[in-house]
Amino acid sequence: MQARRAVAGFAATGLVLAVLGCSSAGGAVAGSGITPAAERSPLPVRVLVQRPGLIDMDISAVDVPVWQGPDPSEFLAPSPPSGESGVITGDRAGVVHLASLDNPRALWNVGGTVQWLVVEVPA
């Protein structure tokens, strides 16, 4: 009876893993052609952030995503002829990069104000 429960538990676990898309085929979901984004390319450990200039628009801070990086005043420096730029490194760079992929307008809620922060992965 004990062996039968173990086999049933293993079969149920295998079913759950198959439904969730876990496999040993490089992370791809079998037959779907889908590969998780994190496995297609590794997350960057360094991103360049530019604030081309201050903006004045009729967009509320609650209408844009919350900035996932450190306060821009902590890492941005003047970048003539206009704007500011800075670098974020480490794990935070990957977090900022992923958030930027979901925010193509590059407008962010930074402490309740809308700021234009463009995130780039250096070559």
mmCIF file of all heavy atoms in Angstrom, residues 88-123:
data_model
loop_
_atom_site.group_PDB
_atom_site.id
_atom_site.type_symbol
_atom_site.label_atom_id
_atom_site.label_comp_id
_atom_site.label_asym_id
_atom_site.label_seq_id
_atom_site.Cartn_x
_atom_site.Cartn_y
_atom_site.Cartn_z
ATOM 1 N N ILE A 88 23.442 51.658 -13.642
ATOM 2 C CA ILE A 88 22.982 50.793 -12.544
ATOM 3 C C ILE A 88 23.630 49.439 -12.776
ATOM 4 O O ILE A 88 23.621 48.931 -13.898
ATOM 5 C CB ILE A 88 21.446 50.659 -12.521
ATOM 6 C CG1 ILE A 88 20.798 52.026 -12.323
ATOM 7 C CG2 ILE A 88 21.008 49.688 -11.433
ATOM 8 C CD1 ILE A 88 19.282 51.997 -12.442
ATOM 9 N N THR A 89 24.198 48.855 -11.730
ATOM 10 C CA THR A 89 24.870 47.561 -11.863
ATOM 11 C C THR A 89 24.280 46.540 -10.902
ATOM 12 O O THR A 89 23.501 46.877 -10.015
ATOM 13 C CB THR A 89 26.383 47.702 -11.575
ATOM 14 O OG1 THR A 89 26.556 48.203 -10.256
ATOM 15 C CG2 THR A 89 27.054 48.625 -12.568
ATOM 16 N N GLY A 90 24.685 45.302 -11.105
ATOM 17 C CA GLY A 90 24.279 44.215 -10.216
ATOM 18 C C GLY A 90 22.872 43.725 -10.488
ATOM 19 O O GLY A 90 22.320 43.906 -11.577
ATOM 20 N N ASP A 91 22.283 43.104 -9.478
ATOM 21 C CA ASP A 91 20.939 42.534 -9.611
ATOM 22 C C ASP A 91 19.902 43.597 -9.955
ATOM 23 O O ASP A 91 18.946 43.338 -10.670
ATOM 24 C CB ASP A 91 20.528 41.823 -8.328
ATOM 25 C CG ASP A 91 21.329 40.562 -8.073
ATOM 26 O OD1 ASP A 91 21.909 40.017 -9.041
ATOM 27 O OD2 ASP A 91 21.395 40.129 -6.905
ATOM 28 N N ARG A 92 20.102 44.802 -9.428
ATOM 29 C CA ARG A 92 19.140 45.884 -9.682
ATOM 30 C C ARG A 92 19.069 46.218 -11.172
ATOM 31 O O ARG A 92 18.036 46.608 -11.684
ATOM 32 C CB ARG A 92 19.541 47.115 -8.872
ATOM 33 C CG ARG A 92 18.447 48.126 -8.667
ATOM 34 C CD ARG A 92 17.329 47.491 -7.842
ATOM 35 N NE ARG A 92 16.234 48.360 -7.586
ATOM 36 C CZ ARG A 92 16.042 49.025 -6.463
ATOM 37 N NH1 ARG A 92 16.906 48.944 -5.491
ATOM 38 N NH2 ARG A 92 14.974 49.756 -6.307
ATOM 39 N N ALA A 93 20.189 46.043 -11.892
ATOM 40 C CA ALA A 93 20.209 46.301 -13.331
ATOM 41 C C ALA A 93 19.227 45.374 -14.056
ATOM 42 O O ALA A 93 18.502 45.803 -14.946
ATOM 43 C CB ALA A 93 21.617 46.122 -13.895
ATOM 44 N N GLY A 94 19.198 44.098 -13.669
ATOM 45 C CA GLY A 94 18.274 43.152 -14.277
ATOM 46 C C GLY A 94 16.829 43.505 -13.994
ATOM 47 O O GLY A 94 15.964 43.411 -14.877
ATOM 48 N N VAL A 95 16.540 43.933 -12.775
ATOM 49 C CA VAL A 95 15.179 44.326 -12.395
ATOM 50 C C VAL A 95 14.729 45.529 -13.221
ATOM 51 O O VAL A 95 13.630 45.556 -13.769
ATOM 52 C CB VAL A 95 15.110 44.639 -10.878
ATOM 53 C CG1 VAL A 95 13.778 45.271 -10.503
ATOM 54 C CG2 VAL A 95 15.360 43.390 -10.060
ATOM 55 N N VAL A 96 15.595 46.526 -13.331
ATOM 56 C CA VAL A 96 15.272 47.732 -14.092
ATOM 57 C C VAL A 96 15.089 47.384 -15.571
ATOM 58 O O VAL A 96 14.161 47.865 -16.229
ATOM 59 C CB VAL A 96 16.364 48.805 -13.894
ATOM 60 C CG1 VAL A 96 16.205 49.952 -14.884
ATOM 61 C CG2 VAL A 96 16.333 49.318 -12.465
ATOM 62 N N HIS A 97 15.955 46.531 -16.097
ATOM 63 C CA HIS A 97 15.854 46.119 -17.496
ATOM 64 C C HIS A 97 14.512 45.438 -17.778
ATOM 65 O O HIS A 97 13.820 45.778 -18.744
ATOM 66 C CB HIS A 97 17.010 45.187 -17.853
ATOM 67 C CG HIS A 97 16.895 44.569 -19.205
ATOM 68 N ND1 HIS A 97 17.016 45.288 -20.373
ATOM 69 C CD2 HIS A 97 16.639 43.291 -19.580
ATOM 70 C CE1 HIS A 97 16.839 44.483 -21.402
ATOM 71 N NE2 HIS A 97 16.616 43.271 -20.947
ATOM 72 N N LEU A 98 14.126 44.478 -16.948
ATOM 73 C CA LEU A 98 12.854 43.777 -17.152
ATOM 74 C C LEU A 98 11.672 44.740 -17.067
ATOM 75 O O LEU A 98 10.744 44.659 -17.869
ATOM 76 C CB LEU A 98 12.696 42.650 -16.134
ATOM 77 C CG LEU A 98 13.550 41.417 -16.373
ATOM 78 C CD1 LEU A 98 13.356 40.410 -15.246
ATOM 79 C CD2 LEU A 98 13.222 40.779 -17.714
ATOM 80 N N ALA A 99 11.705 45.654 -16.112
ATOM 81 C CA ALA A 99 10.618 46.630 -15.984
ATOM 82 C C ALA A 99 10.554 47.519 -17.223
ATOM 83 O O ALA A 99 9.469 47.855 -17.702
ATOM 84 C CB ALA A 99 10.813 47.473 -14.731
ATOM 85 N N SER A 100 11.719 47.877 -17.771
ATOM 86 C CA SER A 100 11.734 48.758 -18.949
ATOM 87 C C SER A 100 11.155 48.074 -20.183
ATOM 88 O O SER A 100 10.622 48.746 -21.070
ATOM 89 C CB SER A 100 13.147 49.256 -19.226
ATOM 90 O OG SER A 100 13.962 48.236 -19.765
ATOM 91 N N LEU A 101 11.260 46.756 -20.249
ATOM 92 C CA LEU A 101 10.693 46.037 -21.390
ATOM 93 C C LEU A 101 9.177 46.163 -21.435
ATOM 94 O O LEU A 101 8.573 46.112 -22.506
ATOM 95 C CB LEU A 101 11.101 44.563 -21.344
ATOM 96 C CG LEU A 101 12.589 44.270 -21.508
ATOM 97 C CD1 LEU A 101 12.851 42.778 -21.342
ATOM 98 C CD2 LEU A 101 13.110 44.782 -22.836
ATOM 99 N N ASP A 102 8.563 46.325 -20.262
ATOM 100 C CA ASP A 102 7.107 46.475 -20.185
ATOM 101 C C ASP A 102 6.671 47.938 -20.216
ATOM 102 O O ASP A 102 5.498 48.236 -20.002
ATOM 103 C CB ASP A 102 6.576 45.815 -18.908
ATOM 104 C CG ASP A 102 6.670 44.302 -18.966
ATOM 105 O OD1 ASP A 102 6.629 43.751 -20.079
ATOM 106 O OD2 ASP A 102 6.781 43.675 -17.898
ATOM 107 N N ASN A 103 7.608 48.869 -20.417
ATOM 108 C CA ASN A 103 7.283 50.290 -20.402
ATOM 109 C C ASN A 103 7.950 50.987 -21.592
ATOM 110 O O ASN A 103 8.931 51.715 -21.426
ATOM 111 C CB ASN A 103 7.746 50.915 -19.084
ATOM 112 C CG ASN A 103 7.324 52.358 -18.950
ATOM 113 O OD1 ASN A 103 6.557 52.872 -19.742
ATOM 114 N ND2 ASN A 103 7.844 53.025 -17.940
ATOM 115 N N PRO A 104 7.439 50.787 -22.803
ATOM 116 C CA PRO A 104 8.088 51.345 -23.991
ATOM 117 C C PRO A 104 8.100 52.873 -24.045
ATOM 118 O O PRO A 104 8.939 53.453 -24.721
ATOM 119 C CB PRO A 104 7.275 50.756 -25.155
ATOM 120 C CG PRO A 104 5.968 50.390 -24.563
ATOM 121 C CD PRO A 104 6.238 50.031 -23.127
ATOM 122 N N ARG A 105 7.210 53.541 -23.319
ATOM 123 C CA ARG A 105 7.204 55.009 -23.337
ATOM 124 C C ARG A 105 8.320 55.590 -22.463
ATOM 125 O O ARG A 105 8.640 56.761 -22.582
ATOM 126 C CB ARG A 105 5.858 55.551 -22.868
ATOM 127 C CG ARG A 105 4.734 55.196 -23.799
ATOM 128 C CD ARG A 105 3.436 55.865 -23.473
ATOM 129 N NE ARG A 105 3.146 55.917 -22.047
ATOM 130 C CZ ARG A 105 2.171 56.625 -21.535
ATOM 131 N NH1 ARG A 105 1.391 57.340 -22.311
ATOM 132 N NH2 ARG A 105 1.954 56.633 -20.242
ATOM 133 N N ALA A 106 8.897 54.798 -21.577
ATOM 134 C CA ALA A 106 9.994 55.220 -20.700
ATOM 135 C C ALA A 106 9.590 56.347 -19.761
ATOM 136 O O ALA A 106 10.439 57.103 -19.296
ATOM 137 C CB ALA A 106 11.238 55.580 -21.499
ATOM 138 N N LEU A 107 8.299 56.479 -19.469
ATOM 139 C CA LEU A 107 7.825 57.435 -18.477
ATOM 140 C C LEU A 107 7.575 56.678 -17.186
ATOM 141 O O LEU A 107 6.912 55.626 -17.194
ATOM 142 C CB LEU A 107 6.549 58.131 -18.954
ATOM 143 C CG LEU A 107 6.681 58.948 -20.240
ATOM 144 C CD1 LEU A 107 5.319 59.490 -20.660
ATOM 145 C CD2 LEU A 107 7.686 60.076 -20.060
ATOM 146 N N TRP A 108 8.099 57.190 -16.076
ATOM 147 C CA TRP A 108 8.061 56.473 -14.799
ATOM 148 C C TRP A 108 7.521 57.355 -13.685
ATOM 149 O O TRP A 108 7.743 58.567 -13.681
ATOM 150 C CB TRP A 108 9.466 56.027 -14.410
ATOM 151 C CG TRP A 108 10.114 55.130 -15.391
ATOM 152 C CD1 TRP A 108 10.958 55.483 -16.405
ATOM 153 C CD2 TRP A 108 9.977 53.711 -15.467
ATOM 154 N NE1 TRP A 108 11.351 54.372 -17.105
ATOM 155 C CE2 TRP A 108 10.770 53.267 -16.549
ATOM 156 C CE3 TRP A 108 9.276 52.771 -14.723
ATOM 157 C CZ2 TRP A 108 10.877 51.931 -16.906
ATOM 158 C CZ3 TRP A 108 9.383 51.445 -15.080
ATOM 159 C CH2 TRP A 108 10.169 51.029 -16.155
ATOM 160 N N ASN A 109 6.891 56.719 -12.731
ATOM 161 C CA ASN A 109 6.476 57.377 -11.497
ATOM 162 C C ASN A 109 7.655 57.277 -10.536
ATOM 163 O O ASN A 109 7.961 56.209 -10.017
ATOM 164 C CB ASN A 109 5.247 56.673 -10.924
ATOM 165 C CG ASN A 109 4.797 57.242 -9.598
ATOM 166 O OD1 ASN A 109 5.528 57.943 -8.909
ATOM 167 N ND2 ASN A 109 3.575 56.916 -9.223
ATOM 168 N N VAL A 110 8.339 58.392 -10.326
ATOM 169 C CA VAL A 110 9.480 58.426 -9.411
ATOM 170 C C VAL A 110 9.085 59.315 -8.243
ATOM 171 O O VAL A 110 9.082 60.541 -8.349
ATOM 172 C CB VAL A 110 10.752 58.972 -10.092
ATOM 173 C CG1 VAL A 110 11.927 58.980 -9.120
ATOM 174 C CG2 VAL A 110 11.091 58.157 -11.330
ATOM 175 N N GLY A 111 8.705 58.695 -7.152
ATOM 176 C CA GLY A 111 8.316 59.453 -5.968
ATOM 177 C C GLY A 111 7.145 60.387 -6.180
ATOM 178 O O GLY A 111 7.094 61.457 -5.597
ATOM 179 N N GLY A 112 6.219 60.006 -7.054
ATOM 180 C CA GLY A 112 5.030 60.808 -7.278
ATOM 181 C C GLY A 112 5.145 61.812 -8.408
ATOM 182 O O GLY A 112 4.208 62.562 -8.668
ATOM 183 N N THR A 113 6.281 61.849 -9.092
ATOM 184 C CA THR A 113 6.431 62.726 -10.260
ATOM 185 C C THR A 113 6.726 61.877 -11.491
ATOM 186 O O THR A 113 7.319 60.807 -11.390
ATOM 187 C CB THR A 113 7.578 63.753 -10.088
ATOM 188 O OG1 THR A 113 8.809 63.053 -9.970
ATOM 189 C CG2 THR A 113 7.351 64.634 -8.873
ATOM 190 N N VAL A 114 6.317 62.356 -12.644
ATOM 191 C CA VAL A 114 6.582 61.647 -13.895
ATOM 192 C C VAL A 114 7.959 62.065 -14.392
ATOM 193 O O VAL A 114 8.241 63.255 -14.531
ATOM 194 C CB VAL A 114 5.510 61.962 -14.959
ATOM 195 C CG1 VAL A 114 5.848 61.275 -16.284
ATOM 196 C CG2 VAL A 114 4.135 61.534 -14.471
ATOM 197 N N GLN A 115 8.822 61.062 -14.643
ATOM 198 C CA GLN A 115 10.147 61.336 -15.170
ATOM 199 C C GLN A 115 10.386 60.467 -16.393
ATOM 200 O O GLN A 115 9.913 59.341 -16.477
ATOM 201 C CB GLN A 115 11.226 61.085 -14.114
ATOM 202 C CG GLN A 115 11.132 62.051 -12.950
ATOM 203 C CD GLN A 115 12.320 61.954 -12.030
ATOM 204 O OE1 GLN A 115 13.411 61.583 -12.423
ATOM 205 N NE2 GLN A 115 12.091 62.299 -10.768
ATOM 206 N N TRP A 116 11.140 60.996 -17.312
ATOM 207 C CA TRP A 116 11.503 60.303 -18.545
ATOM 208 C C TRP A 116 12.878 59.682 -18.323
ATOM 209 O O TRP A 116 13.879 60.377 -18.288
ATOM 210 C CB TRP A 116 11.535 61.313 -19.682
ATOM 211 C CG TRP A 116 11.811 60.796 -21.043
ATOM 212 C CD1 TRP A 116 11.690 59.519 -21.505
ATOM 213 C CD2 TRP A 116 12.244 61.566 -22.152
ATOM 214 N NE1 TRP A 116 12.022 59.449 -22.823
ATOM 215 C CE2 TRP A 116 12.363 60.691 -23.252
ATOM 216 C CE3 TRP A 116 12.528 62.921 -22.336
ATOM 217 C CZ2 TRP A 116 12.774 61.133 -24.514
ATOM 218 C CZ3 TRP A 116 12.932 63.348 -23.593
ATOM 219 C CH2 TRP A 116 13.047 62.461 -24.661
ATOM 220 N N LEU A 117 12.901 58.369 -18.126
ATOM 221 C CA LEU A 117 14.147 57.630 -17.878
ATOM 222 C C LEU A 117 14.244 56.504 -18.895
ATOM 223 O O LEU A 117 13.470 55.551 -18.874
ATOM 224 C CB LEU A 117 14.159 57.058 -16.449
ATOM 225 C CG LEU A 117 14.101 58.095 -15.324
ATOM 226 C CD1 LEU A 117 13.855 57.403 -13.991
ATOM 227 C CD2 LEU A 117 15.382 58.910 -15.282
ATOM 228 N N VAL A 118 15.226 56.612 -19.771
ATOM 229 C CA VAL A 118 15.420 55.649 -20.852
ATOM 230 C C VAL A 118 16.487 54.644 -20.404
ATOM 231 O O VAL A 118 17.602 55.030 -20.057
ATOM 232 C CB VAL A 118 15.870 56.351 -22.149
ATOM 233 C CG1 VAL A 118 16.066 55.342 -23.263
ATOM 234 C CG2 VAL A 118 14.845 57.423 -22.545
ATOM 235 N N VAL A 119 16.140 53.362 -20.416
ATOM 236 C CA VAL A 119 17.037 52.294 -19.966
ATOM 237 C C VAL A 119 17.599 51.595 -21.203
ATOM 238 O O VAL A 119 16.855 51.180 -22.084
ATOM 239 C CB VAL A 119 16.301 51.271 -19.070
ATOM 240 C CG1 VAL A 119 17.217 50.142 -18.664
ATOM 241 C CG2 VAL A 119 15.705 51.975 -17.856
ATOM 242 N N GLU A 120 18.919 51.459 -21.243
ATOM 243 C CA GLU A 120 19.591 50.791 -22.360
ATOM 244 C C GLU A 120 20.573 49.777 -21.820
ATOM 245 O O GLU A 120 21.182 49.996 -20.772
ATOM 246 C CB GLU A 120 20.357 51.790 -23.208
ATOM 247 C CG GLU A 120 19.536 52.898 -23.800
ATOM 248 C CD GLU A 120 20.399 53.926 -24.517
ATOM 249 O OE1 GLU A 120 21.544 53.599 -24.892
ATOM 250 O OE2 GLU A 120 19.935 55.053 -24.676
ATOM 251 N N VAL A 121 20.741 48.679 -22.539
ATOM 252 C CA VAL A 121 21.769 47.703 -22.208
ATOM 253 C C VAL A 121 22.974 48.020 -23.096
ATOM 254 O O VAL A 121 22.859 47.957 -24.318
ATOM 255 C CB VAL A 121 21.290 46.253 -22.443
ATOM 256 C CG1 VAL A 121 22.398 45.272 -22.156
ATOM 257 C CG2 VAL A 121 20.058 45.969 -21.604
ATOM 258 N N PRO A 122 24.104 48.414 -22.485
ATOM 259 C CA PRO A 122 25.269 48.741 -23.310
ATOM 260 C C PRO A 122 25.779 47.518 -24.065
ATOM 261 O O PRO A 122 25.680 46.388 -23.592
ATOM 262 C CB PRO A 122 26.310 49.244 -22.314
ATOM 263 C CG PRO A 122 25.799 48.914 -20.961
ATOM 264 C CD PRO A 122 24.363 48.541 -21.080
ATOM 265 N N ALA A 123 26.340 47.772 -25.234
ATOM 266 C CA ALA A 123 26.849 46.685 -26.081
ATOM 267 C C ALA A 123 28.097 46.082 -25.511
ATOM 268 O O ALA A 123 28.819 46.582 -24.754
ATOM 269 C CB ALA A 123 27.123 47.209 -27.478
#
